[in-house]
Amino acid sequence: MTSYESLSLSNGSGGSSGSGSGGLCHWFKHMKLYRIGIIIAACLLLVPFVFYYLLLNDESNIPNNDIHRTRSQLEVFEDISPLKAADLKLRIDEMLRIKGTVSLELRDLEARRQKLQSDIGLYNQKIDELKQELARQQTELERLKISVEQAQVSQREAILRNTPELALPKPLLSSSLPFINKPISLRMQSSCKMRTCFDHSRCSLTSGFPVYLYDPDVSSVVSNRYDIDGFLKTTIKQTLGYNSHLTNDPKKACVFLVLVGEALPEQETMRNNRYGISNQELVKKEDKSGLNVTKLRQLAYWGGDGRNHVLLNFARRDLTAEMGNVFLNVDTGRAMLVQSSFEEVQFRKGFDLIVPPILGPPGGDVWQECSPMLPARRKYLLSFQGELHYQNQSNLNQVDDEAETVDDFIIEHLKEMSTGPTQDRFLLQFECIPATEQRNPSTIREWALCGTDNSRKSVLKDSTFALLLAPGGFSVSSTLFQARLYEALRAGSIPVILGGDQSELPYSETVEWRRAAISLPKARITELHFLLRAVSDADLLTMRRQGRLIWERYLSSVQATVDTIIASLRDRLGIPPKPIQPVLAHSVFNATFVPLKSDPVLDTEPEESLGPIEPPYPSPAFRRNYTTQLIQSREAWNDWLDPFALYPQLPFDPVLPSDAKFIGSHMGFRPIGKGTGGAGKEFGEALGGNNPREQFTIVILTYEREQVLMDSLSRLYGLPYLHKVIVVWNSPKPPLEDLRWPDIGVPVHVVRAPRNSLNNRFLPFDAIETEAVLSVDDDAHLRHDEILFGFRVWREHRDRVVGFPGRFHAWDTNTLEGWNYNSNYSCELSMVLTGAAFIHKYYTYLYTYTLPQAIRDKVDEYMNCEDIAMNFLVSHVTRKPPVKVTSRWTFRCPGCPVSLSEDDTHFQERHKCINFFTKVFGYTPLLNTQYRADSILFKTRIPHDKQKCFKFI
């Protein structure tokens, strides 16, 4: 055996790996170096012979048909043999050329492979797009099917309408002047009622309650020694001119207004003295009351008995003049009397009308006259300043001794209450210091006013309650009593009427005085302090707020008084007011200019059926013209901000019971699953809810950001339940003529704003034909499902602001004197910004016509805060916080210019706005809320065969 074989056997022998490796090392250690050289030489000699032998065997086994291949292999072998080394370079070059050719072919194949892969990718992408388009078209087909079904239902409803459009009724009486009737006796006058002394035939329900005013300069009914105050004449004529019920055609008039006072005998006396006419001579010829009955009966349309005439006697400056009750013991026929002072035997409840004296300005903002509502408890618990006067000395014997004893007891008890052991402070003054000017009061016993208007106002604004003592004698109302009520409400001091069971308050037919004043019989004087202490802070502020509402709306100015008188008379007859006037929407385009439109933008919203595609459907308007005043008259006069006009719709309309939509009152309702309910599929096919079907209008305010606006409009394509889009063009520059407006499937009205103002966002345009209004900034990016979810939530909270970005007002802990506007993330909010929020169109009327002008001026001054003003207004009317929907807190608009809201000045202005609005309202009406609205099945596990209401909400 050779050494090589011995080595092989050693490596292949059995045994452990450790013993084998150790033996090998031992063998190599003792082995001679020459032996290793012999072995390597033997291997080099044997390898060529073995290789050659193997080649020969392979050649003998190759078939004849592969001989060329065998020969080429031999040639290759020969080429690499040392014998052909000369041709080796040529062979290498050929091999390199072949390699290059193969590389080119491989690269070409790789390019073709990549192109095929790219084509496959494109085809796959196209297949995916076609699949998406198929799914989109299937969804669109389903929506169209639902739309067809909805249209069929609408057609059946139109055929089976159970409330057909009625023609106007025939007039109760042809338009003519009043008939000549016989005068009635004083006894019949004292018992006049609306059914006995009023001619209803002149006041049709559809007449609009036309009112005619006798020109006081032409048809004066006062005695020659009197003259109607010139300011009052001018102001009454001017304020009535603003009232929509005024008519110049007496043939159409329902009632005729006659201005009697305030008359000023002093001015007339001076004028008569210049002509040498003595007062005594005039008294013999004219009525001592100042009213000339002869002139009254000679009025052009008096008709013999004065039916449908309203005699207006206003007290303005001379609160204790003898003109306080000019109609006492005077023949006024069937005419209604309107004044501040009435005797018990004279006042005809439900026929005559008690009004406050004219103490305020002609009109305009009156919030500066009011005191802040807070704190709830002021310096004085109760205050009173007055001095008891008698009409004249001869009437002292006519005063009932028992009544005088009661008044004395009341005064003594009030003095004891103010000086007794209590922590409460009182200001009770029963003598005027300095003494007031002595004048004859309009009643037998009267409490005269002390001091000046400013001095009394300074006391009342520090008083939680103001004591009002009912007029003495046989009066149910007096001018001084009404003046005290006026001043108490103006200062935010809650009136406490002692003897309220024997007195009448202004407009008591419609105004709920129990919500603003405390009325007690005189017998409860001993319980007065206990009762006042029992009123909680919440009740105090509620009554104070209600009192201010009554004062601002009905008592504060000449305009308020005149409008309230007409509205009270109209309300008696059940005649609806005149419709509120919308703002005409003038297009920004000329009549001959047609804006360019681009192709529709494909819908990129989530692939879900959000709702059917419907034709435009405006909300039904003026459907409750006659029932609103019957059913909701109390709310209109005491809660809502305007009982003087008729609105197309109200957010406070009553809701039908849930079973009514299936039993007899199904018109317009679209219940989910036709009443069976359902999940996402059925939910997307119908609106459901508690109200009939409706749509919404989007209002976008924009200023010279055309491309941002076009992008926002494009995203609205295919949005269900969208009626139209109103673009308020706030810029004085018209849009570019080559600007391409996207076709979004609904009308887009571009309205020219009267001027650049953020208040234009809330103008009640006539083009807005739906109750729901979505106010949106031009750079707000909302998905379709977010908009529709907000719309559905608003339908359940129609009287509130429902939207997306929430904010809150935070108390300034540094100064402890006001509020700060805060946009940080918070678990509590009090405002929803109207850059993306739903509101009822009713609030656009209130914002434009009822909100104090000072607030709109502040918005124009800062070019800011209109959203805060709207939140203030809605919370003030409803006493409810807004509703936030979804988790969205801010909006991102890539590519948009820097907005105003990113400037620090923006926040500083909003701090000031909140505090200024609080000053105007007298308090902060904003209320906090700690929840937001999400879809019902949001984060709820449902079966696989069911769909959620919204995939992402």
Side-chain angles (χ1 to χ4, degrees):
M1 179 181 297
T2 64
S3 301
Y4 179 79
E5 292 175 340
S6 300
L7 179 60
S8 300
L9 289 176
S10 302
N11 290 333
S13 62
S16 64
S17 60
S19 59
S21 59
L24 183 62
C25 294
H26 180 76
W27 185 82
F28 271 109
K29 184 179 179 180
H30 296 278
M31 193 174 182
K32 300 293 185 182
L33 183 61
Y34 71 93
R35 293 181 180 179
I36 296 175
I38 294 173
I39 295 173
I40 292 174
C43 291
L44 293 176
L45 291 174
L46 290 176
V47 168
F49 291 103
V50 173
F51 185 73
Y52 182 74
Y53 175 76
L54 292 175
L55 288 177
L56 290 177
N57 290 337
D58 290 339
E59 184 178 358
S60 60
N61 294 331
I62 296 175
N64 293 331
N65 57 2
D66 201 21
I67 186 170
H68 299 289
R69 180 180 176 184
T70 304
R71 186 172 302 170
S72 64
Q73 290 178 353
L74 291 174
E75 290 176 356
V76 171
F77 176 74
E78 292 176 357
D79 289 341
I80 64 174
S81 64
L83 301 177
K84 298 292 182 180
D87 297 331
L88 181 61
K89 182 178 179 181
L90 295 176
R91 293 296 184 182
I92 291 174
D93 293 339
E94 183 178 1
M95 294 297 294
L96 291 175
R97 181 183 60 80
I98 295 174
K99 178 182 177 183
T101 304
V102 172
S103 298
L104 290 175
E105 292 179 356
L106 290 177
R107 281 195 296 269
D108 182 61
L109 290 175
E110 180 64 20
R112 292 172 60 186
R113 184 184 69 81
Q114 291 180 356
K115 184 177 182 303
L116 289 175
Q117 287 182 343
S118 176
D119 292 341
I120 292 173
L122 292 176
Y123 286 127
N124 288 333
Q125 182 179 358
K126 189 172 183 179
I127 291 173
D128 293 337
E129 292 177 355
L130 291 175
K131 288 181 179 180
Q132 294 178 0
E133 182 65 21
L134 177 61
R136 187 180 294 108
Q137 293 297 335
Q138 289 177 343
T139 303
E140 192 72 14
L141 179 61
E142 293 296 327
R143 293 173 61 181
L144 290 175
K145 289 180 179 179
I146 298 172
S147 302
V148 171
E149 294 178 0
Q150 300 285 357
Q152 292 174 348
V153 173
S154 300
Q155 183 182 13
R156 291 194 297 269
E157 290 179 348
I159 296 174
L160 302 175
R161 182 183 298 273
N162 58 0
T163 56
E165 301 295 338
L166 298 176
L168 293 177
K170 295 181 180 180
L172 300 177
L173 184 68
S174 59
S175 298
S176 62
L177 296 175
F179 296 110
I180 303 301
N181 302 282
K182 294 181 179 181
I184 62 174
S185 63
L186 291 175
R187 182 177 180 182
M188 292 185 63
Q189 292 180 28
S190 63
S191 60
C192 266
K193 303 294 181 184
M194 291 295 292
R195 67 177 183 272
T196 60
C197 295
F198 190 85
D199 185 6
H200 289 265
S201 64
R202 299 194 60 85
C203 305
S204 172
L205 288 175
T206 59
S207 65
F209 194 67
V211 174
Y212 179 83
L213 173 67
Y214 288 97
D215 190 344
D217 293 324
V218 178
S219 303
S220 177
V221 295
V222 298
S223 302
N224 290 336
R225 71 187 183 96
Y226 291 91
D227 189 15
I228 299 177
D229 180 24
F231 171 81
L232 190 62
K233 287 192 297 185
T234 304
T235 305
I236 294 297
K237 292 172 62 176
Q238 183 179 5
T239 53
L240 270 175
Y242 296 143
N243 195 290
S244 60
H245 295 281
L246 184 68
T247 180
N248 294 323
D249 187 357
K251 294 182 178 180
K252 298 180 180 179
C254 172
V255 297
F256 301 84
L257 302 181
V258 183
L259 183 60
V260 177
E262 172 186 51
L264 301 178
E266 293 87 354
Q267 295 179 2
E268 186 65 26
T269 299
M270 293 174 61
R271 186 180 65 182
N272 291 332
N273 289 337
R274 288 197 300 267
Y275 290 93
I277 302 175
S278 64
N279 292 337
Q280 289 78 9
E281 295 176 355
L282 289 173
V283 171
K284 294 178 181 179
K285 296 179 181 180
E286 309 292 346
D287 263 309
K288 294 182 180 181
S289 64
L291 179 65
N292 191 316
V293 178
T294 303
K295 291 184 177 181
L296 193 64
R297 292 177 179 177
Q298 291 176 351
L299 290 174
Y301 316 111
W302 184 256
D305 59 358
R307 64 183 62 193
N308 290 40
H309 278 62
V310 180
L311 307 182
L312 304 174
N313 177 31
F314 293 116
R316 187 175 78 90
R317 296 185 304 182
D318 198 4
L319 298 179
T320 60
E322 56 182 285
M323 289 292 293
N325 189 354
V326 299
F327 305 125
L328 185 62
N329 299 324
V330 176
D331 182 10
T332 56
R334 299 179 189 268
M336 289 182 279
L337 309 179
V338 176
Q339 62 179 4
S340 302
S341 297
F342 276 101
E343 296 291 331
E344 185 175 2
V345 295
Q346 176 193 17
F347 181 66
R348 298 163 294 185
K349 194 175 181 65
F351 191 74
D352 296 327
L353 196 61
I354 297 177
V355 297
I358 302 297
L359 300 176
D365 282 358
V366 293
W367 61 270
Q368 301 95 331
E369 300 293 326
C370 299
S371 301
M373 296 188 192
L374 279 79
R377 301 187 182 275
R378 297 176 173 177
K379 179 179 179 181
Y380 302 112
L381 178 65
L382 181 68
S383 70
F384 176 82
Q385 290 178 298
E387 187 172 270
L388 186 60
H389 286 184
Y390 298 93
Q391 193 174 50
N392 53 58
Q393 195 67 23
S394 61
N395 285 334
L396 288 175
N397 297 328
Q398 302 177 11
V399 178
D400 186 13
D401 293 338
E402 182 179 352
E404 187 175 8
T405 303
V406 172
D407 291 343
D408 293 339
F409 174 75
I410 291 175
I411 295 175
E412 291 300 325
H413 183 78
L414 289 174
K415 291 180 178 179
E416 293 178 2
M417 182 177 67
S418 61
T419 58
T422 177
Q423 296 180 351
D424 298 321
R425 299 183 63 181
F426 299 87
L427 195 156
L428 301 176
Q429 182 180 343
F430 301 104
E431 292 183 2
C432 294
I433 303 175
T436 183
E437 183 180 355
Q438 300 296 322
R439 292 183 178 179
N440 290 333
S442 58
T443 61
I444 295 177
R445 292 165 56 86
E446 187 68 271
W447 286 94
L449 297 173
C450 293
T452 63
D453 178 72
N454 289 332
S455 64
R456 294 191 299 271
K457 185 176 180 180
S458 63
V459 172
L460 289 172
K461 72 178 184 180
D462 288 334
S463 304
T464 305
F465 297 95
L467 180 63
L468 277 69
L469 296 175
F474 307 103
S475 297
V476 295
S477 177
S478 69
T479 304
L480 286 174
F481 176 75
Q482 300 298 338
R484 287 184 180 275
L485 179 65
Y486 174 96
E487 293 179 353
L489 295 176
R490 180 185 62 181
S493 184
I494 300 172
V496 178
I497 305 171
L498 205 56
D501 54 341
Q502 63 187 50
S503 61
E504 294 288 342
L505 299 178
Y507 317 119
S508 57
E509 296 178 47
T510 52
V511 175
E512 290 187 341
W513 285 103
R514 297 182 62 180
R515 298 173 56 180
I518 298 176
S519 181
L520 297 174
K522 292 182 178 180
R524 295 196 180 275
I525 182 61
T526 58
E527 301 173 333
L528 178 61
H529 191 190
F530 169 79
L531 177 62
L532 300 184
R533 290 289 297 169
V535 182
S536 65
D537 288 0
D539 292 333
L540 282 175
L541 293 176
T542 300
M543 297 183 71
R544 188 172 295 159
R545 172 183 173 275
Q546 189 67 20
R548 173 162 173 168
L549 182 148
I550 293 173
W551 182 84
E552 288 183 335
R553 194 183 300 177
Y554 308 126
L555 314 178
S556 59
S557 64
V558 180
Q559 186 74 59
T561 301
V562 171
D563 291 344
T564 306
I565 290 173
I566 294 178
S568 299
L569 298 176
R570 177 186 50 75
D571 191 84
R572 279 184 186 174
L573 301 174
I575 300 176
K578 289 291 188 70
I580 190 75
Q581 293 300 315
V583 175
L584 298 180
H586 298 287
S587 176
V588 75
F589 302 111
N590 297 326
T592 58
F593 175 71
V594 179
L596 301 176
K597 288 191 175 182
S598 60
D599 296 331
V601 180
L602 293 179
D603 187 9
T604 58
E605 298 299 316
E607 297 176 3
E608 55 178 327
S609 179
L610 298 175
I613 300 175
E614 297 179 331
Y617 177 75
S619 299
F622 298 107
R623 289 299 184 90
R624 303 181 62 238
N625 297 351
Y626 304 99
T627 54
T628 301
Q629 296 298 319
L630 297 176
I631 300 174
Q632 296 176 300
S633 177
R634 181 186 65 83
E635 292 85 353
W637 281 87
N638 298 279
D639 293 321
W640 312 335
L641 281 185
D642 189 2
F644 307 113
L646 183 66
Y647 292 89
Q649 308 93 5
L650 290 171
F652 317 106
D653 288 342
V655 178
L656 287 171
S658 58
D659 50 354
K661 67 185 72 171
F662 305 104
I663 307 174
S665 301
H666 62 279
M667 293 297 175
F669 285 96
R670 300 294 184 266
I672 296 176
K674 299 181 179 180
T676 61
K681 181 178 181 300
E682 297 79 10
F683 179 78
E685 295 175 354
L687 267 179
N690 303 312
N691 294 279
R693 70 181 180 120
E694 60 184 330
Q695 297 175 349
F696 62 92
T697 302
I698 293 181
V699 176
I700 302 177
L701 186 70
T702 187
Y703 185 88
E704 297 183 1
R705 297 204 295 184
E706 288 85 353
Q707 190 55 50
V708 174
L709 175 64
M710 296 304 106
D711 295 340
S712 297
L713 289 175
S714 301
R715 290 191 290 267
L716 301 177
Y717 175 77
L719 178 61
Y721 306 115
L722 177 60
H723 182 258
K724 67 174 64 169
V725 177
I726 306 294
V727 177
V728 182
W729 194 266
N730 237 17
S731 172
K733 302 177 182 178
L736 299 176
E737 294 187 359
D738 58 349
L739 186 63
R740 305 191 68 87
W741 295 81
D743 183 2
I744 60 175
V746 297
V748 178
H749 293 265
V750 186
V751 179
R752 182 177 68 250
R755 58 191 179 89
N756 182 18
S757 172
L758 293 180
N759 292 310
N760 297 333
R761 181 192 297 273
F762 302 124
L763 289 177
F765 292 111
D766 57 348
I768 302 176
E769 300 177 292
T770 60
E771 296 184 58
V773 178
L774 175 58
S775 175
V776 180
D777 287 339
D778 56 1
D779 58 355
H781 190 172
L782 288 172
R783 302 194 313 266
H784 286 193
D785 56 343
E786 292 177 318
I787 294 175
L788 292 183
F789 177 67
F791 176 54
R792 289 179 179 269
V793 173
W794 175 88
R795 281 168 45 85
E796 299 181 22
H797 303 278
R798 310 174 74 87
D799 60 339
R800 299 159 80 171
V801 179
V802 177
F804 300 88
R807 301 292 185 265
F808 67 99
H809 63 301
W811 185 249
D812 189 348
T813 56
N814 295 325
T815 63
L816 301 178
E817 292 182 354
W819 298 100
N820 285 333
Y821 172 83
N822 202 310
S823 62
N824 295 330
Y825 294 102
S826 172
C827 295
E828 192 172 61
L829 59 90
S830 57
M831 292 176 284
V832 167
L833 303 187
T834 54
F838 283 92
I839 58 174
H840 197 283
K841 187 182 178 182
Y842 171 74
Y843 294 119
T844 64
Y845 288 107
L846 296 187
Y847 187 96
T848 303
Y849 298 130
T850 308
L851 192 71
Q853 182 63 39
I855 291 182
R856 296 193 295 272
D857 292 341
K858 184 63 67 174
V859 171
D860 289 336
E861 177 186 347
Y862 288 152
M863 285 299 290
N864 200 344
C865 306
E866 84 286 356
D867 46 3
I868 300 177
M870 177 58 76
N871 278 270
F872 264 68
L873 174 64
V874 176
S875 295
H876 175 65
V877 175
T878 63
R879 303 304 300 130
K880 297 177 182 178
V883 178
K884 173 174 167 48
V885 294
T886 76
S887 60
R888 186 185 290 272
W889 194 265
T890 58
F891 293 100
R892 300 296 182 187
C893 180
C896 294
V898 178
S899 62
L900 295 175
S901 60
E902 296 182 8
D903 187 2
D904 183 65
T905 307
H906 171 81
F907 287 92
Q908 297 299 325
E909 292 172 348
R910 293 172 83 81
H911 301 330
K912 297 176 182 178
C913 283
I914 292 181
N915 292 288
F916 178 74
F917 297 166
T918 296
K919 184 178 179 180
V920 174
F921 279 92
Y923 76 114
T924 305
L926 299 177
L927 295 174
N928 295 320
T929 182
Q930 298 180 354
Y931 78 95
R932 75 172 190 228
D934 288 310
S935 179
I936 289 181
L937 296 181
F938 180 63
K939 291 188 177 181
T940 300
R941 294 185 178 181
I942 60 176
H944 296 290
D945 58 341
K946 299 292 183 181
Q947 298 179 7
K948 290 192 173 184
C949 311
F950 294 94
K951 287 185 178 180
F952 306 101
I953 299 177

